Amino acid sequence: MEYWNDSLLPLLGNLHEHLTFLANYSNIKDPDILAQMQGAWNHFVKTGQIWAMFIGVVVGYLFKSLTSYG
């Protein structure tokens, strides 16, 4: 029985904190999810983060290609 207690404690030890965190965000103030996604995408593009993402994908692909064999 001690084995189960030791292995489940890390998993269930913070369960109350996680449930409290979710309960805090269950009160939805703006239900228009699509408008929020559009605003987030526009901010992503406007701040130039999209270019950083594209450059990161290209550099990562080149790095993978240069370091892998076969």
Side-chain angles (χ1 to χ4, degrees), residues 44 48-57:
F44 185 70
Q49 294 178 38
I50 192 166
W51 295 111
M53 184 188 75
F54 286 144
I55 291 169
V57 167

mmCIF file of all heavy atoms in Angstrom, residues 44 48-57:
data_model
loop_
_atom_site.group_PDB
_atom_site.id
_atom_site.type_symbol
_atom_site.label_atom_id
_atom_site.label_comp_id
_atom_site.label_asym_id
_atom_site.label_seq_id
_atom_site.Cartn_x
_atom_site.Cartn_y
_atom_site.Cartn_z
ATOM 1 N N PHE A 44 -0.172 38.624 -33.476
ATOM 2 C CA PHE A 44 0.965 37.770 -33.835
ATOM 3 C C PHE A 44 1.624 38.268 -35.111
ATOM 4 O O PHE A 44 2.843 38.338 -35.224
ATOM 5 C CB PHE A 44 0.466 36.330 -33.995
ATOM 6 C CG PHE A 44 1.527 35.307 -34.247
ATOM 7 C CD1 PHE A 44 2.411 34.962 -33.251
ATOM 8 C CD2 PHE A 44 1.613 34.669 -35.473
ATOM 9 C CE1 PHE A 44 3.377 33.998 -33.479
ATOM 10 C CE2 PHE A 44 2.568 33.715 -35.700
ATOM 11 C CZ PHE A 44 3.456 33.378 -34.692
ATOM 12 N N GLY A 48 5.321 40.964 -35.705
ATOM 13 C CA GLY A 48 6.423 40.356 -36.435
ATOM 14 C C GLY A 48 6.822 38.987 -35.938
ATOM 15 O O GLY A 48 7.828 38.435 -36.383
ATOM 16 N N GLN A 49 6.069 38.424 -35.036
ATOM 17 C CA GLN A 49 6.411 37.105 -34.507
ATOM 18 C C GLN A 49 6.253 36.022 -35.568
ATOM 19 O O GLN A 49 6.903 34.979 -35.486
ATOM 20 C CB GLN A 49 5.536 36.785 -33.299
ATOM 21 C CG GLN A 49 5.797 37.686 -32.125
ATOM 22 C CD GLN A 49 4.879 37.371 -30.962
ATOM 23 O OE1 GLN A 49 4.585 36.220 -30.692
ATOM 24 N NE2 GLN A 49 4.416 38.409 -30.281
ATOM 25 N N ILE A 50 5.419 36.273 -36.553
ATOM 26 C CA ILE A 50 5.227 35.280 -37.614
ATOM 27 C C ILE A 50 6.514 35.084 -38.404
ATOM 28 O O ILE A 50 6.853 33.972 -38.814
ATOM 29 C CB ILE A 50 4.032 35.639 -38.515
ATOM 30 C CG1 ILE A 50 3.676 34.466 -39.406
ATOM 31 C CG2 ILE A 50 4.316 36.878 -39.338
ATOM 32 C CD1 ILE A 50 2.336 34.585 -40.069
ATOM 33 N N TRP A 51 7.267 36.186 -38.607
ATOM 34 C CA TRP A 51 8.528 36.075 -39.339
ATOM 35 C C TRP A 51 9.546 35.304 -38.505
ATOM 36 O O TRP A 51 10.323 34.508 -39.056
ATOM 37 C CB TRP A 51 9.049 37.449 -39.711
ATOM 38 C CG TRP A 51 8.124 38.132 -40.668
ATOM 39 C CD1 TRP A 51 7.352 39.223 -40.420
ATOM 40 C CD2 TRP A 51 7.825 37.718 -42.002
ATOM 41 N NE1 TRP A 51 6.594 39.517 -41.524
ATOM 42 C CE2 TRP A 51 6.868 38.615 -42.517
ATOM 43 C CE3 TRP A 51 8.267 36.687 -42.814
ATOM 44 C CZ2 TRP A 51 6.358 38.504 -43.798
ATOM 45 C CZ3 TRP A 51 7.753 36.577 -44.097
ATOM 46 C CH2 TRP A 51 6.814 37.467 -44.575
ATOM 47 N N ALA A 52 9.547 35.517 -37.233
ATOM 48 C CA ALA A 52 10.445 34.757 -36.358
ATOM 49 C C ALA A 52 10.096 33.273 -36.404
ATOM 50 O O ALA A 52 10.982 32.416 -36.403
ATOM 51 C CB ALA A 52 10.373 35.290 -34.934
ATOM 52 N N MET A 53 8.805 32.959 -36.473
ATOM 53 C CA MET A 53 8.390 31.562 -36.553
ATOM 54 C C MET A 53 8.849 30.941 -37.869
ATOM 55 O O MET A 53 9.401 29.837 -37.888
ATOM 56 C CB MET A 53 6.875 31.442 -36.428
ATOM 57 C CG MET A 53 6.386 30.010 -36.411
ATOM 58 S SD MET A 53 4.607 29.838 -36.487
ATOM 59 C CE MET A 53 4.296 30.219 -38.198
ATOM 60 N N PHE A 54 8.644 31.650 -38.975
ATOM 61 C CA PHE A 54 9.064 31.120 -40.272
ATOM 62 C C PHE A 54 10.579 30.928 -40.330
ATOM 63 O O PHE A 54 11.065 29.904 -40.811
ATOM 64 C CB PHE A 54 8.609 32.033 -41.414
ATOM 65 C CG PHE A 54 7.144 31.951 -41.713
ATOM 66 C CD1 PHE A 54 6.454 33.085 -42.103
ATOM 67 C CD2 PHE A 54 6.454 30.763 -41.620
ATOM 68 C CE1 PHE A 54 5.092 33.028 -42.378
ATOM 69 C CE2 PHE A 54 5.095 30.687 -41.895
ATOM 70 C CZ PHE A 54 4.425 31.823 -42.278
ATOM 71 N N ILE A 55 11.322 31.903 -39.842
ATOM 72 C CA ILE A 55 12.781 31.789 -39.837
ATOM 73 C C ILE A 55 13.206 30.626 -38.943
ATOM 74 O O ILE A 55 14.101 29.848 -39.307
ATOM 75 C CB ILE A 55 13.420 33.112 -39.385
ATOM 76 C CG1 ILE A 55 13.193 34.181 -40.458
ATOM 77 C CG2 ILE A 55 14.903 32.944 -39.099
ATOM 78 C CD1 ILE A 55 13.535 35.583 -40.029
ATOM 79 N N GLY A 56 12.567 30.457 -37.816
ATOM 80 C CA GLY A 56 12.884 29.350 -36.923
ATOM 81 C C GLY A 56 12.598 27.997 -37.546
ATOM 82 O O GLY A 56 13.362 27.049 -37.385
ATOM 83 N N VAL A 57 11.493 27.903 -38.284
ATOM 84 C CA VAL A 57 11.169 26.638 -38.956
ATOM 85 C C VAL A 57 12.210 26.323 -40.025
ATOM 86 O O VAL A 57 12.688 25.189 -40.127
ATOM 87 C CB VAL A 57 9.741 26.699 -39.560
ATOM 88 C CG1 VAL A 57 9.500 25.550 -40.512
ATOM 89 C CG2 VAL A 57 8.709 26.703 -38.452
#
